[in-house]
Amino acid sequence: MALEIVKIFPVHIREALANDTWKAGLEEIRVRVGSPLEFIYGGESRYLPGREGAYALPSACGYENGYRMTPEDLREMLNYISDYSLYAYSEEVKEGYLTIEGGHRIGMAGQVVKKDGKVTGLSHITFLNVRIAHEKRGCADDILPHIRRSDGIYNTLMLSPPGIGKTTFLRDLIRQLSAGDAGAPGMKVGVVDERSEIAACHLGIPQNDLGPRTDVLDGCKKTEGIRMLLRSMSPQILAVDELGGKEDFAAVKQALCCGCRVLGTVHAGCVQELLDKPYLQACVTQRLFGRYILIERNSRGERSTTIYDERMERIC
């Protein structure tokens, strides 16, 4: 991971990151013109010190003493990220992110370009969020037994606020269900990876291990991707990240009517938030999902899971 991340930075910053001891536990790197370069580890932020051109590894030096990124730094980074051809990635940039080798996703913000009232791209990109890809193999070991059943799996919905790790858990569940084990055969899994976060495809090739029986539609809208996979790849399980509007859940219902199991995630900080959304409340009332998994993180960055059944009664 260190080399893939280091090479997107300006040369003078690469020198500070030559020793890769800083990477352990790293989740995000926040890059903002005029602000200190921020490295986020769970609930802790560290900054790259910089005085008169002298740099050191990210440390708790304090916000005020951190090296402040310049417009030139951002331009150099964008050149490295896009291989000097940002225009070639215009479709991805329009969506606000790029996925680089290793599966790391780089979010972008700046001046929005519009045409006929629709966003067509970004100009003057002055904010970057480098989200570090974490496979964390085995993180879903404790969840897996609770979603399995004799004929496959329960339709399962994982919920948490953004940035807590539900995509990481989803990825590991996909890998394990696709591979199978001594107690259960592997299953065909179709992944609709709208934002390239699950498989993290680079040039069409998944950078993350999703198992041997997994097919991926990368960069495809969930509503379209679900229909495409149902028609063409005969999945036993459909996996989707960040289900949102009622159109997404209408597509999910279609998959369920075709006998396919669904494994998905949704933004919600607690069970009540889930019930406050009308289209999700309907899913609960109709008992479309047999398992709900709430993922939380405490102030020390430690994650925990609570599992509910189709009646929203706690299992464990």
Side-chain angles (χ1 to χ4, degrees), residues 144-193:
L144 188 59
H146 296 285
I147 72 169
R148 272 185 168 155
R149 51 188 290 175
S150 59
D151 59 348
I153 67 166
Y154 290 96
N155 296 315
T156 301
L157 194 63
M158 291 186 283
L159 49 147
S160 80
I164 300 300
K166 57 185 176 296
T167 304
T168 303
F169 280 92
L170 174 64
R171 186 183 301 120
D172 195 53
L173 285 173
I174 293 168
R175 179 186 64 81
Q176 296 199 52
L177 290 167
S178 175
D181 55 34
M187 302 180 71
K188 294 179 293 182
V189 184
V191 176
V192 184
D193 201 1

Side-chain angles (χ1 to χ4, degrees), residues 76-144:
E76 191 172 346
M77 288 187 68
L78 288 171
N79 282 333
Y80 296 144
I81 290 167
S82 66
D83 197 21
Y84 292 88
S85 183
L86 197 60
Y87 177 78
Y89 295 90
S90 58
E91 285 299 313
E92 291 90 340
V93 172
K94 182 176 68 175
E95 297 298 326
Y97 68 92
L98 277 177
T99 301
I100 64 172
E101 184 180 0
H104 312 292
R105 195 179 80 162
I106 301 178
M108 302 176 177
Q111 181 66 49
V112 169
V113 179
K114 287 186 176 182
K115 183 177 181 180
D116 298 326
K118 296 182 179 180
V119 176
T120 59
L122 289 172
S123 66
H124 304 295
I125 297 171
T126 50
F127 307 92
L128 299 175
N129 176 25
V130 184
R131 295 186 63 175
I132 309 303
H134 291 108
E135 289 198 65
K136 294 189 177 178
R137 296 168 64 93
C139 69
D141 285 354
D142 293 338
I143 296 175
L144 188 59

